[in-house]
Amino acid sequence: MAPHPGQNLVCVLLTAVALGYTSGASEESPVVVTKYGMLEGRKVSVKGTAKPVYDYLGIPFAKPPIGALRFAAPQAAEAWTGIREATSQPPGCLQDETALEALKKLITFDFASNNSSEDCLYLNVHTPVAPKDKNKRLPVMVWIHGGGFLIGSASVYDGSPLAAYEDVVVVVIQYRLGILGFISTGDEHLPGNWGMLDQVAALKWVQENIENFGGDPGLVTIFGESAGGMSVSYHLVSPLSSGLFHRAISESGTAFIKIGIQPDPKSAAQIIANATGCDTSDSQEIADCLKKLSEEELSNIVKPPEVILSVVVDGAFLHREVEQLVEAKEISSVPYLLGITNQECGWLLAKLLSPPGWEEGMDRETVESVVKNMSLINKDFLKMTIDEYLGDTQDKGRIRDLYLELFGDVIMLMPTIKFARLHRDAGNSVFLYEFQHRPSVYGNSRPDFVKSDHGDDIGFVFGAPFWTNDVKLLANVTEEELALSRTVMSYWANFAKKGNPNGEGLVLWPLYDHDEGYMQLNLKQQAGSKLKEHRVKFHLELQKQERKKRTDHLQPVVRIEDGLIRGEQQVVEGIPRAVFGYLGIPFAAPPVGALRFAPPKKPEPWTGIRNVTNHPPMCLQKVRNRLEPFPVPASEDCLYLSVYSPVHPLQQNSSLPVMVWIHGGAFILGKSSIFHGAALAGYGNVVVVVIQYRISVAGFLSTGDQYARGNFGFLDQLAALQWVQRNIREFGGNPGSVTLFGQSVGSLSVSLHTLSPLSTGLFHRAILQSGSSLMPGLVPPIPTQLAQEVAQIAGCNSTQSQLLLHCLRNKTEEEMVQITTSLNELYQLIPALIVDGHFLNDDPWKMFQKGQFQNIPILVGVTTEEVIGSLVHPEQIILRNWETGISREQIQEKINQFIKPLFGEENGALIFDEYFEDAHDCDTLKERYLDLFGDVFLTIPTLRAAQYYKDAGNPVFLYEFQHRASFYERRIPQFRRAPHAAELSFVFGGAFIPAFDVLLGNMTEAEKSLSKMVMLYWASFAWNGNPNRNDLPNWPMNSDSGKYMQFNLNLQTGNNLKKDKLKFWSNKPPKKIAKILI
């Protein structure tokens, strides 16, 4: 076991004394003491100055990320004994070395091409401070290299001239690249961002150790170019990087570059996995397979060109999209220097992006084709953009030059200006530049039309003309270029020292304020204002028109009972009418303080206009690191609803049906942001309301008495329905025509509201999708079950009602998150319902049997494989080696564990025989096993409720959703039927909402057609209490004939859905047990 770094430092110091090491040790072989051990560096010189620099190369800042640490966050480096040699460049991180060699041919300096390796988490320190002067405290500049997150290493950048001439300590770091650094499945198995976490680890190392090299840990500047510049801007918004640096410089790269965030990491991971022979879509299996590959196998992987490996929103390094964080001013308040070259796509990037022969000239058609294929510009504005740049010129050379300008502006200029403005508007100092000098060293190796290309500023920042060590220029520079390099180094170092680049003898660099001053860096420097003003104005106007086209520039204002709200038009493909969204309207006061564990209260009115254009925070639950179109935080303050209406407030006398959605999630998870009602509202011509309600501890804890009766989540739902009655007319909705619909426990909730006397008259039709209040596990054996468990988890010393509530109400929200998360680990389904004589007068089973429910039209149905996708903890039911099959013995074990406690020992053999008597082959056993659990917990309770409704004379329309959407092929290829929730993307028209592409991918035209039919059926039911309409296949009522609709790509009717299984279970009501499936 390695010694603790603190203990090791004592050993190092003792060793240093024993070896006769003193501050006067030989400067030719300088030795420093770090937290992890002693390092022997080297003394080097640079051209033009007698001032020496001390290099310490290949210093480990983290353990080698190999073995179990592959695809894991970096861990602190191991301490060592003795003196470690630090005079050789470290191996670079694993990368495509042919690409690095190709790059060397395009640039004019040479560097050591060390072999790449997984063991690569090293950094280099270049300091002008000799060991004997270690008490000095100089500014520190930490360089993050570029290379598209695919190539690059510390050996390419010699920081000695910058250190010598400007009296700063330069640190050059490495980080994992490509697959090892940035692959992600968007979940806990491969959350991604390893390369960014390596950078954070290097910055922490600097904080711990840089004083030993003469650096000031309180004065750290991070700087980088291209992907390194992007990295710098990510650190500005990452909570993990906060406090680790104090200035920031981005050269030709910010996080707003289009490839900056990977929107669909799971799909990218699957493509890479398939390319490696890991042919699976399961995240765990992808991770396991990639971890087993050798380093050689990994290095031989050819990344498919369509795959972007970049940063992801993982909930740790990045909590939200960068734009959301910056606009919310969740950004480090540090000075920021950033800029571009004057031809970012002049040569290196142009050779990557352009068709063969582009250097000789291009015609208009070729430019249009290339720009269209790159998808960098909205297709609706492609012609306008081409016209803006090319005008009416026919000269092929001129067209080529304008094409290069267009690409540079879109890829680099606008992302840089956007970040500069937002950082400025957040109240921070910003300095902007354009580097304009074409290095003379390129001579005739580049065509004359190339100006200052992407990366051409790097050599001047690092003092390349003064290099004499491991990196060398391959050509001479002019005296003017020597002076320019000195000037640039001075500007950068001044910024590192005081957060302002200006200094004695330098041309004044203006602050980037609202006059938008900037510095033109050329052989002669000159301040300018409004960089590329004409082009920036054009692109800003283009963005404005895009927003206008997307929203029709309509931000409707509606007056509701509590005040004015402003929504915005929603983006939905192909809808016959505009839809307006009002997201996050409070329907109750925040349930905090004294209102924690209390029925909901009306919200406080507000003055002015309240913007309701962002999805609200979800109710307290674990934030899962999953790719989502609209990620939101969790909060106790969560009693909001969203309204989607095809009626503009200026339209008068509209009175459309209203559809109120209750989400599922086992009363453990769920939120409104993933149920976007715009497509359903637009295609169905209905007003859609999506509500939230308290879940888990906050929603359903009960002390069994008047102090906390429980059912708070159901009372929240009730309060939302009451809000609809009072306010929905303002959105064009008819409060006398409300359909309540939900899925899973949302459907369960709908069925409870058909039973509750409090809900009578608040809705007029009901849609139950895969759930009813006859589901096992809903009612706990004793009302105080959750209270007792929560008391123990929370460390409350008493379960006496008032004392327990006092204890819990004094917990912070963060503590409630931990309590909620701990409780949720104990349940597949929260036993939410308390028969309290208020919300519900009796047990749901008894009320159904007595027909004590509303006499309203019912639309109800199930999917073909309900158990898949319905479990919060699927590992309890789905064996890890599912593909290899399941034995009859394993099935019997699961029946004994989970089914017999519900239905009694006497029914165990009957149940086994009913499902498995004639099943012996692997596929049949697996299918029947899934049928059993789906039937018991979802299908039969739903169909039994339908039977009760029908027998009481309610009009009932029954369905089975059978289509397995194409996106499931990459998510759960091992399950071949329609899982739980399979219908949701069709009911809500997710295929027509661009933001949901990250979840659904490209659904087929046949699937889009099915989605339109489903939405029309649901909306017709909301209109008439009958789903039928003239342009759809007839859906018969589920009368004595037992007919139902089978939803597949080809619709058809069926008879007597699961009739035999309904009969089998008819005399086997489940018992009340504390927990199901756990």
Side-chain angles (χ1 to χ4, degrees):
M1 180 175 169
H4 185 277
Q7 296 172 325
N8 191 68
L9 183 57
V10 176
C11 298
V12 168
L13 292 171
L14 292 174
T15 305
V17 173
L19 292 172
Y21 170 71
T22 69
S23 61
S26 169
E27 291 189 2
E28 298 304 320
S29 300
V31 175
V32 296
V33 179
T34 74
K35 178 179 178 180
Y36 300 96
M38 291 192 295
L39 292 166
E40 180 181 320
R42 66 184 186 183
K43 180 180 177 182
V44 299
S45 61
V46 298
K47 291 179 183 177
T49 178
K51 188 172 186 177
V53 174
Y54 303 90
D55 286 352
Y56 303 87
L57 309 179
I59 306 171
F61 65 83
K63 288 181 182 178
I66 57 177
L69 295 184
R70 181 188 284 178
F71 305 126
Q75 295 186 8
E78 295 276 7
W80 61 85
T81 57
I83 300 177
R84 182 185 180 109
E85 185 179 329
T87 57
S88 300
Q89 294 288 352
C93 289
L94 209 62
Q95 59 194 278
D96 184 351
E97 294 182 17
T98 59
L100 196 60
E101 289 301 315
L103 177 64
K104 287 179 72 171
K105 295 177 181 177
L106 296 174
I107 57 180
T108 57
F109 57 91
D110 192 23
F111 52 88
S113 298
N114 289 354
N115 291 332
S116 61
S117 169
E118 278 196 86
D119 179 5
C120 66
L121 298 186
Y122 300 95
L123 54 78
N124 295 341
V125 177
H126 309 272
T127 178
V129 179
K132 64 182 177 63
D133 300 322
K134 64 179 181 179
N135 289 330
K136 281 190 175 181
R137 293 293 176 264
L138 301 182
V140 182
M141 300 184 72
V142 180
W143 175 255
I144 306 173
H145 70 74
F149 298 122
L150 295 171
I151 61 172
S153 65
S155 63
V156 180
Y157 306 93
D158 182 358
S160 299
L162 183 57
Y165 278 102
E166 299 302 332
D167 221 23
V168 294
V169 177
V170 179
V171 181
V172 183
I173 71 173
Q174 297 189 154
Y175 55 96
R176 281 171 282 182
L177 303 167
I179 294 171
L180 289 169
F182 294 95
I183 194 171
S184 170
T185 54
D187 53 32
E188 69 274 16
H189 299 296
L190 285 175
N193 289 343
W194 321 117
M196 304 310 298
L197 297 177
D198 294 341
Q199 295 175 16
V200 172
L203 290 173
K204 289 180 178 178
W205 183 95
V206 167
Q207 289 297 309
E208 293 175 340
N209 295 278
I210 207 64
E211 287 185 347
N212 300 305
F213 300 86
D216 184 352
L219 200 58
V220 174
T221 297
I222 55 173
F223 68 135
E225 188 270 346
S226 194
M230 293 165 65
S231 297
V232 167
S233 65
Y234 289 128
H235 289 297
L236 283 169
V237 295
S238 174
L240 301 186
S241 311
S242 179
L244 298 179
F245 63 96
H246 314 92
R247 323 257 191 271
I249 301 175
S250 287
E251 304 169 22
S252 300
T254 76
F256 289 147
I257 292 175
K258 188 162 185 177
I259 64 167
I261 293 285
Q262 167 55 265
D264 186 8
K266 180 65 177 290
S267 294
Q270 287 173 323
I271 293 171
I272 290 172
N274 291 340
T276 65
C278 302
D279 191 9
T280 179
S281 61
D282 180 78
S283 297
Q284 177 77 63
E285 291 176 0
I286 290 173
D288 291 344
C289 184
L290 290 175
K291 287 175 183 177
K292 292 176 183 175
L293 296 178
S294 67
E295 181 175 299
E296 182 179 3
E297 288 172 320
L298 275 172
S299 64
N300 289 333
I301 296 171
V302 178
K303 182 185 76 68
E306 72 272 20
V307 172
I308 295 173
L309 288 169
S310 189
V311 176
V312 297
V313 177
D314 61 352
F317 180 75
L318 277 187
H319 285 173
R320 288 188 285 164
E321 294 284 350
V322 174
E323 187 165 1
Q324 294 175 323
L325 293 167
V326 177
E327 288 181 347
K329 296 182 172 54
E330 295 180 32
I331 188 168
S332 291
S333 296
V334 301
Y336 194 21
L337 187 152
L338 71 168
I340 57 173
T341 68
N342 68 354
Q343 197 179 40
E344 285 286 359
C345 290
W347 188 243
L348 294 179
L349 295 177
K351 290 179 77 68
L352 291 173
L353 301 172
S354 307
W358 69 275
E359 300 96 328
E360 306 304 319
M362 302 174 74
D363 56 35
R364 189 184 190 95
E365 291 72 24
T366 302
V367 171
E368 288 182 356
S369 175
V370 173
V371 175
K372 182 179 180 181
N373 290 338
M374 287 295 294
S375 300
L376 291 173
I377 298 170
N378 186 305
K379 62 182 179 181
D380 294 326
F381 301 101
L382 181 59
K383 185 179 185 304
M384 183 190 304
T385 305
I386 297 295
D387 289 345
E388 161 71 17
Y389 277 81
L390 302 190
D392 57 3
T393 184
Q394 300 299 315
D395 180 86
K396 291 189 174 182
R398 179 64 178 152
I399 290 174
R400 173 206 60 216
D401 294 345
L402 293 168
Y403 152 82
L404 295 177
E405 182 189 6
L406 166 59
F407 259 124
D409 289 353
V410 173
I411 293 174
M412 290 291 175
L413 171 69
M414 292 311 298
T416 299
I417 294 294
K418 182 177 181 179
F419 213 118
R421 288 181 170 185
L422 287 170
H423 198 66
R424 172 199 68 191
D425 294 344
N428 302 303
S429 298
V430 174
F431 295 88
L432 184 71
Y433 73 87
E434 181 183 60
F435 191 85
Q436 300 174 342
H437 177 65
R438 169 185 163 134
S440 63
V441 293
Y442 289 117
N444 296 326
S445 66
R446 291 181 176 179
D448 291 340
F449 64 76
V450 180
K451 301 176 186 177
S452 179
D453 189 34
H454 185 67
D456 280 353
D457 51 343
I458 298 176
F460 294 87
V461 170
F462 274 87
F466 307 100
W467 282 340
T468 59
N469 300 301
D470 296 332
V471 191
K472 297 180 178 65
L473 279 180
L474 298 177
N476 293 321
V477 299
T478 67
E479 289 297 322
E480 292 86 352
E481 287 174 323
L482 285 170
L484 176 59
S485 183
R486 287 295 311 274
T487 296
V488 171
M489 285 194 291
S490 293
Y491 276 133
W492 261 237
N494 286 341
F495 182 78
K497 293 169 184 176
K498 56 188 180 181
N500 187 313
N502 291 298
E504 185 178 351
L506 298 173
V507 175
L508 183 67
W509 187 328
L511 187 70
Y512 187 77
D513 55 18
H514 288 280
D515 293 329
E516 300 197 346
Y518 72 99
M519 177 56 70
Q520 301 172 77
L521 293 172
N522 211 325
L523 296 180
K524 291 186 176 180
Q525 297 80 56
Q526 181 177 335
S529 65
K530 300 188 184 302
L531 174 61
K532 299 198 74 170
E533 180 179 14
H534 173 69
R535 297 301 196 203
V536 170
K537 280 186 175 179
F538 169 77
H539 284 285
L540 290 176
E541 179 61 29
L542 205 65
Q543 293 169 10
K544 182 179 177 181
Q545 289 190 42
E546 283 192 71
R547 288 193 297 270
K548 183 178 180 181
K549 185 176 181 66
R550 190 166 63 242
T551 65
D552 200 21
H553 206 56
L554 290 172
Q555 294 186 316
V557 175
V558 173
R559 180 179 292 278
I560 59 175
E561 61 181 345
D562 296 312
L564 293 169
I565 57 173
R566 178 186 286 115
E568 66 179 354
Q569 187 173 332
Q570 303 298 293
V571 182
V572 185
E573 295 177 0
I575 52 173
R577 54 187 64 84
V579 174
F580 306 93
Y582 309 84
L583 314 180
I585 307 170
F587 67 85
V592 298
L595 294 183
R596 187 185 279 173
F597 309 118
K601 302 292 184 184
K602 282 188 175 183
E604 289 290 329
W606 55 86
T607 57
I609 301 176
R610 182 180 185 128
N611 281 321
V612 285
T613 55
N614 292 312
H615 289 281
M618 59 187 174
C619 292
L620 282 193
Q621 59 193 275
K622 182 179 180 181
V623 178
R624 296 165 187 264
N625 299 327
R626 293 177 178 173
L627 183 68
E628 295 181 3
F630 306 107
V632 293
S635 172
E636 280 193 277
D637 180 6
C638 65
L639 296 185
Y640 299 91
L641 54 76
S642 297
V643 177
Y644 302 87
S645 173
V647 178
H648 191 278
L650 297 178
Q651 296 172 259
Q652 299 296 320
N653 302 320
S654 294
S655 189
L656 302 182
V658 182
M659 301 184 71
V660 179
W661 175 257
I662 305 177
H663 70 73
F667 301 126
I668 287 174
L669 49 88
K671 54 194 168 186
S672 64
S673 61
I674 59 172
F675 298 101
H676 201 286
L680 178 57
Y683 279 104
N685 198 26
V686 294
V687 177
V688 178
V689 181
V690 182
I691 72 173
Q692 295 191 152
Y693 55 97
R694 284 171 284 179
I695 54 179
S696 189
V697 178
F700 301 106
L701 178 140
S702 172
T703 57
D705 52 29
Q706 73 271 25
Y707 298 108
R709 295 186 184 277
N711 292 337
F712 303 120
F714 300 129
L715 296 176
D716 294 341
Q717 298 169 8
L718 183 73
L721 288 170
Q722 293 166 338
W723 183 96
V724 167
Q725 288 296 307
R726 299 192 304 269
N727 293 279
I728 207 63
R729 288 190 190 277
E730 307 305 324
F731 302 89
N734 179 2
S737 183
V738 175
T739 297
L740 189 60
F741 71 136
Q743 187 267 346
S744 194
V745 298
S747 177
L748 180 160
S749 299
V750 171
S751 79
L752 283 176
H753 287 290
T754 70
L755 303 174
S756 174
L758 301 183
S759 307
T760 301
L762 298 180
F763 64 100
H764 314 92
R765 299 167 186 84
I767 299 176
L768 285 72
Q769 300 171 212
S770 302
S772 84
S773 48
L774 301 178
M775 291 164 60
L778 173 62
V779 181
I782 58 171
T784 57
Q785 177 177 314
L786 288 183
Q788 292 174 6
E789 289 178 317
V790 168
Q792 184 173 359
I793 292 169
C796 298
N797 295 326
S798 175
T799 57
Q800 193 275 331
S801 299
Q802 291 171 287
L803 294 176
L804 173 60
L805 292 173
H806 178 77
C807 174
L808 292 175
R809 285 174 177 149
N810 280 287
K811 298 292 183 183
T812 65
E813 182 172 274
E814 291 73 22
E815 288 172 319
M816 287 304 298
V817 170
Q818 295 301 319
I819 293 166
T820 300
T821 301
S822 297
L823 182 83
N824 291 347
E825 291 298 320
L826 306 177
Y827 286 94
Q828 292 276 19
L829 170 71
I830 296 294
L833 180 65
I834 304 301
V835 179
D836 59 357
H838 177 62
F839 176 70
L840 213 63
N841 292 329
D842 207 342
D843 185 278
W845 273 86
K846 294 178 181 178
M847 295 186 74
F848 265 106
Q849 288 167 344
K850 296 175 182 177
Q852 294 175 341
F853 42 74
Q854 295 185 45
N855 186 5
I856 57 175
I858 303 289
L859 189 153
V860 56
V862 294
T863 68
T864 50
E865 203 162 67
E866 286 285 10
V867 72
I868 300 303
S870 66
L871 302 172
V872 179
H873 306 292
E875 69 280 359
Q876 297 288 343
I877 303 300
I878 308 303
L879 306 183
R880 284 183 63 85
N881 56 347
W882 179 257
E883 287 80 356
T884 63
I886 187 169
S887 67
R888 292 169 69 88
E889 291 73 23
Q890 288 172 313
I891 292 170
Q892 186 65 66
E893 181 182 337
K894 292 296 182 182
I895 289 175
N896 293 342
Q897 185 178 1
F898 297 125
I899 305 297
K900 283 184 180 180
L902 277 169
F903 299 101
E905 189 74 28
E906 69 277 9
N907 285 313
L910 292 173
I911 293 170
F912 186 90
D913 290 344
E914 174 69 18
Y915 282 83
F916 305 104
E917 184 176 25
D918 60 346
H920 297 281
D921 66 276
C922 176
D923 289 340
T924 304
L925 284 171
K926 289 199 295 184
E927 185 172 304
R928 299 276 184 86
Y929 177 78
L930 298 178
D931 284 344
L932 168 61
F933 281 93
D935 285 354
V936 167
F937 294 99
L938 287 158
T939 303
I940 297 303
T942 305
L943 297 181
R944 183 178 278 135
Q947 186 69 45
Y948 280 123
Y949 288 129
K950 181 176 72 172
D951 291 346
N954 296 47
V956 173
F957 295 87
L958 183 65
Y959 73 85
E960 182 181 56
F961 197 88
Q962 301 174 343
H963 177 65
R964 176 180 179 270
S966 52
F967 58 80
Y968 285 122
E969 189 59 41
R970 69 175 187 271
R971 291 191 198 168
I972 48 171
Q974 67 272 39
F975 303 109
R976 308 307 301 176
R977 294 179 290 171
H980 190 63
E983 82 282 8
L984 291 183
S985 58
F986 295 86
V987 170
F988 281 92
F992 305 101
I993 301 172
F996 278 81
D997 289 349
V998 297
L999 283 181
L1000 308 180
N1002 295 317
M1003 295 181 74
T1004 67
E1005 289 304 314
E1007 288 175 325
K1008 289 181 179 180
S1009 177
L1010 175 60
S1011 181
K1012 287 180 182 179
M1013 287 193 286
V1014 171
M1015 287 190 288
L1016 292 176
Y1017 275 129
W1018 261 238
S1020 182
F1021 180 80
W1023 273 93
N1024 308 305
N1026 186 315
N1028 289 296
R1029 45 187 283 164
N1030 293 335
D1031 56 349
L1032 293 174
N1034 182 60
W1035 183 342
M1037 192 182 297
N1038 185 247
S1039 57
D1040 292 337
S1041 64
K1043 290 188 178 297
Y1044 67 98
M1045 180 63 78
Q1046 298 174 315
F1047 279 103
N1048 217 317
L1049 295 182
N1050 294 311
L1051 271 62
Q1052 60 185 29
T1053 57
N1055 296 298
N1056 299 317
L1057 177 60
K1058 293 255 183 182
K1059 181 180 179 180
D1060 293 341
K1061 290 295 184 280
L1062 264 172
K1063 182 178 179 181
F1064 172 77
W1065 290 104
S1066 63
N1067 61 348
K1068 300 177 182 65
K1071 302 175 182 179
K1072 290 180 184 177
I1073 61 174
K1075 295 181 175 71
I1076 60 167
L1077 300 178
I1078 284 289

